[in-house]
Amino acid sequence: MTASRLPPKRWFAALKREWLLYHLGDPRFRFMWDPAPENEWVALDCETTGLNVRTDDIIAIGAVRIRGNRIMTSERLELLVRPEKRRLTAESVRVHRLREQDVAQGISADEAMMKLMYFIGSRPLVGYYLEFDLAMINRVLFPMLGMGLPQPKIEVSSLYYDYKFHQLPHHARDSGSIDLRFESLMKDLNLPLWSAHDALNDAIMAALAFLKLRQLRAG
Amino acid sequence: MPSAFNFSASPFDCLTPDEQLLVQDSVDIAYFPQGATILAPGAQPTHLFVIIKGFVQQFDGNDVVTTYGPEDCFDGRGLMAGKVSSRFVAAEEVVAYQLARQAVSDLIAGNVTFGALLFSDLSNKLSALSERQSRHELQSLTMARVDEAFVRTPHFVDADTSILDVTRQFHSLRTATLLVRDSQVSPPALGIFTLTGLQRAILDGTPLDRLAVRGLTNFSLIKVRPSDQLGDALAVMIKHKVHRVVVAEGEHITGVLEALDLFSFLSNHSYLINVQILEARDVPALQEAAGQITRLISLLQRSGTHINMIARLVQELNAKLFERAWQLIAPPDLVANSCLFVMGSEGRGEQLLKTDQDNGLVLRDGYEPACDVAAVCRQFSAALADFGYPPCPGNIMVSNPQWCQSVTDFSQTARLWLMAATTDGLMALAIFLDAHAVCGDRTLLDKVRAAVYDMTADNDAMLARFASAVNAFGNSSAWWNRLLFRGDQGKEALDIKKAGTFPLVHGIRSLALAHHVSATSTVERAQALVAAGRLPEKLANDLIDSLHFFMGLKLKVGLQQLETGHAASDEIALDKLSSLDRDLLKDTLGVVKQFKALLNQRFHLEAM
């Protein structure tokens, strides 16, 4: 394919892809740069030992594929991860209800990343405050790949922000009054709430919010 | 969410843990914006949908057939047939689980109840349900309280009484058990002497008029409390190898529970009420039995007995009760020269809890009563009111002279109902068509009924006017949909009589009148109409099942109302229904709608 025939934006993306593939540490993961299946996404959420992306560890990953208007819970990914360095704090156990003996049954972070990458394939990622989850994931991934997850990212909270922003009258648009907390967002969108802080539940709820916001934007 | 799938909603509540796991692994979640078509006719269904949030409407052509809400599932029938035959549209934004077809087939293959509840037509659904209930049947009967069973009145004798006198007591009291008081010991002792003790008394050799009962009395009484469960009482009898126990609350003895009575209660409780009615010597004794009937219904309902059985039993018991009351109140020559009958739901045998007394009396032509018939009738109506049957608001009872006439006069009155064709007249005619004789010469009633049938022969205009009452309360299905569509179930109640029972019963009654079917119960009428080729068999079966469902629902709600101290009414609070009952209610109202369409066509009611 000759780059000169593409429009500038696509040309830049193609260049970036080539550059990343060239630097890819492990050629087994080239599939992440394949063209994504039409109308498919992966919603993702992690539970961690705490909120510090440098010192805390992932203990659970929940991911689910979205196909068209369906959330494929029958093809879900649920991983329990053994933390590498950090012990669980009482506070974090209260949040996600995973105890030391629970996560001790988990797999290693490296193994979890392999499974996650195969599960995602080249599908765009969907999540709520995805930035945090990706920072946690990429820290583990960097030594393996030499880079973080390359797939396009869709942030549910910013989709929601855009949607609410356009609904507001002009004079109210700078007040910053849009409530972006997850529970408020789900309630405002009139979507069902399942118990939070379970990685898979959170991923599914983010997926639902994504489907609805996508619909609202199209309609 | 697999982890949050609601396994307590029908039909998923009958799954085993392994089957629940299968569901969790095969379920996806789908999102549909408002107005989206979820399934279209002709499509090949791949999933069963279970609604999490939102409402779905099912369309046949442009008609809304029904509405599905949270926890309802669709389209089981389409999934089974491999083809969708209706259009399913999101009436409101919908989030739904979708369960893969393969998983559904596996569940059906492994779990008969699940399959029946999900796919079958109405009657299979209901019989699957009663099968589920029947497992609890005996269990719940044995959980009835001791004082709900037939506890015999205790009779006491002194320990000094001779065996001869004790035997005389056995004979005169028609009992086999006496409680013996011994006040010579301190503290005074209480024992029991039974018919079997008599053998030992004879073998003793002492002349029986000189043998005191004391020496043959068993002074270690085995007691149960009135609040104990019957199952426990039975266990006590088996453990101590006795055939009777004393029922006592502390030191106060309230009666004796015989093993035979306990067994007959568990097997055939109604037999005992029957005995009570037949042995009643006055009206107050009957009142006692009348109270027992309501208790029996409640017990049978809880134990999962089929509603049809309960209704038949209650009709028989009520008829016995009315007959006995009439015999006690009316002089014998009046009884012999008249026919007492009940009408309306009581006449059809579809009455469960006591409601208005609808009854009448036909007198033999030319009979000159020696007594004041009006006064006797008033007394009878008052007695029924004491039994708990409130006077009829429409005054359709023997105490009203219009409902107490000779054969000729009665036939004349019926002719006027027909000719004038006023709403009241047609209503009176409808109620009279259900008349069921309970006492006296039933040929008198048959004569009046024959006169009515003669007048209606081939009078199509009159039949149409009569049948048109099925449309009196509007279209129930539309109402139901509007209700669900608003999603405002909390404050709404459905009048089950207007929406379901009345159009069904009256429709069958109209067809029965048109085709001269003389049966009075809806079930018998429907069966006779099928035999005569006037009603499709499938529809008739669905109608019978629907009627029984309405009766069952009304009974369930009515008993709850009675327990909370309210009068039983036809109002059903929709938010209190289980998802299965709501599902069945939708199905049955759909059957009524289908039947009304047939009636409108048969009697050309659109033209009216």
Side-chain angles (χ1 to χ4, degrees), chain B residues 46-68:
Chain B
T46 52
H47 292 88
L48 178 75
F49 292 89
V50 186
I51 299 176
I52 300 169
K53 211 161 178 171
F55 292 95
V56 171
Q57 287 183 313
Q58 179 181 357
F59 286 88
D60 263 351
N62 289 324
D63 282 353
V64 175
V65 184
T66 183
T67 303
Y68 299 88

Side-chain angles (χ1 to χ4, degrees), chain B residues 237-256:
Chain B
M237 287 185 196
I238 292 168
K239 184 178 161 203
H240 295 280
K241 297 193 180 74
V242 292
H243 293 111
R244 50 195 64 78
V245 288
V246 174
V247 182
E249 189 71 74
E251 288 305 303
H252 177 64
I253 291 181
T254 55
V256 176

Side-chain angles (χ1 to χ4, degrees), chain A residues 58-90:
Chain A
I58 296 175
I59 50 170
I61 300 174
V64 64
R65 286 186 190 145
I66 307 168
R67 194 170 295 151
N69 64 354
R70 282 156 61 188
I71 300 164
M72 310 303 292
T73 43
S74 55
E75 299 171 20
R76 63 194 177 267
L77 181 76
E78 277 183 289
L79 298 173
L80 217 51
V81 185
R82 206 165 50 231
E84 306 274 300
K85 36 188 181 189
R86 200 42 191 255
R87 311 282 302 169
L88 293 179
T89 62

